[in-house]
Amino acid sequence: MIIAVDGPAASGKGTLAAGLARHYGLPHLDTGLLYRAVGLAVRAAPGSTDFDREAVAAARRLDAAHLTDLDRLTGAEAGTLASRVAVIAEVRQALRQFQRDFARQPGGAVLDGRDIGTVICPEADVKLFIEADSKARMERRARQWEARGQLVDRYALYHQIEERDARDRANPHGGFFRAADAHLLDTTRLDIDAALRAAVAIVDGVLASKAASP
Ligand code: C5P
């Protein structure tokens, strides 16, 4: 079974995807980490031609070993750089096969990102599109970082999230929209346990209706 979980920055999709993977005993790939790793590997300044060239080369070199330094990969700098490399078509293309191979391993997988249900796995068995309002997302991300001992400027973080959302939604190569067959889950007023219960109910519902149809 392939489960695709898409949604904007800090919507809780990563935590939900990890919870679904545990619940159904499936491997999980946070595809944002790939873009983050590519962003961090580029030394040239954003906007320069060298930036694009280096980003494409880094995407072509990327393998699982680049995805282990989670502290660095999940920070704000990596998030912003990720959304800058994510608008480069050749970068997306270079990362596509890695994600597809992960999804199509025997038994299936859970992948979360922006374009899983639309581009990477349009054939996914279940698609979830996670939403939450910008303030709730900012607050969650702030608490995550504070739990790690970081000082957080909530005003700056809110604007960073909004700016990243705008770039992701306007990305002509991004595939970031709700697929027609994706189930919408708004987590604004749900804590993580309630959100996971809601997601499991959606997946179980889809599986039951597939089993019932001839
Ligand atoms: O999900 P996360 O916030 O870690 O993703 C970081 C950035 O990587 C996103 O803002 C987006 O620009 C890019 N991304 C993408 N497609 C994906 C996953 C992430 O474009 N499937």
Side-chain angles (χ1 to χ4, degrees):
M1 166 169 67
I2 298 176
I3 304 179
V5 184
D6 290 306
S11 57
K13 63 185 184 314
T15 313
L16 271 181
L20 287 171
R22 265 195 313 276
H23 185 86
Y24 293 102
L26 294 169
H28 167 222
L29 178 64
D30 168 355
T31 65
L33 291 180
L34 309 180
Y35 292 90
R36 287 167 178 267
V38 171
L40 287 176
V42 182
R43 298 195 185 283
S48 73
T49 334
D50 281 351
F51 182 85
D52 285 25
R53 218 184 37 231
E54 286 185 21
V56 175
R60 290 186 179 145
R61 273 198 314 268
L62 194 84
D63 63 38
H66 295 101
L67 308 178
T68 51
D69 186 356
L70 289 183
D71 271 353
R72 206 161 159 250
L73 286 168
T74 56
E77 187 201 5
T80 301
L81 286 168
S83 74
R84 291 188 179 276
V85 301
V87 297
I88 306 167
E90 293 94 323
V91 166
R92 304 196 75 83
Q93 195 187 346
L95 298 180
R96 208 165 284 154
Q97 203 53 46
F98 183 95
Q99 298 172 76
R100 288 192 170 150
D101 290 346
F102 190 92
R104 286 164 200 162
Q105 58 188 296
V110 183
L111 286 83
D112 74 87
R114 301 289 184 294
D115 59 346
I116 309 304
T118 53
V119 175
I120 303 298
C121 301
E123 79 288 13
D125 299 281
V126 189
K127 299 179 188 177
L128 295 172
F129 194 86
I130 313 301
E131 278 185 349
D133 77 31
S134 307
K135 280 216 182 94
R137 293 190 281 131
M138 178 279 286
E139 193 52 41
R140 279 182 200 153
R141 186 54 43 96
R143 288 187 190 167
Q144 264 172 11
W145 288 348
E146 282 168 350
R148 290 189 204 162
Q150 280 173 241
L151 274 181
V152 178
D153 173 344
R154 282 175 163 66
Y155 179 81
L157 178 58
Y158 181 81
H159 287 284
Q160 236 170 47
I161 286 179
E162 292 266 286
E163 188 199 346
R164 194 140 71 83
D165 276 353
R167 194 160 35 233
D168 288 344
R169 288 185 197 279
N171 183 353
H173 315 294
F176 180 32
F177 56 89
R178 181 182 163 196
D181 54 348
H183 297 260
L184 182 68
L185 177 57
D186 188 328
T187 65
T188 305
R189 282 173 232 296
L190 302 179
D191 66 19
I192 183 57
D193 290 337
L196 184 55
R197 278 197 302 275
V200 167
I202 293 172
V203 175
D204 285 349
V206 173
L207 295 182
S209 70
K210 283 192 176 173
S213 64

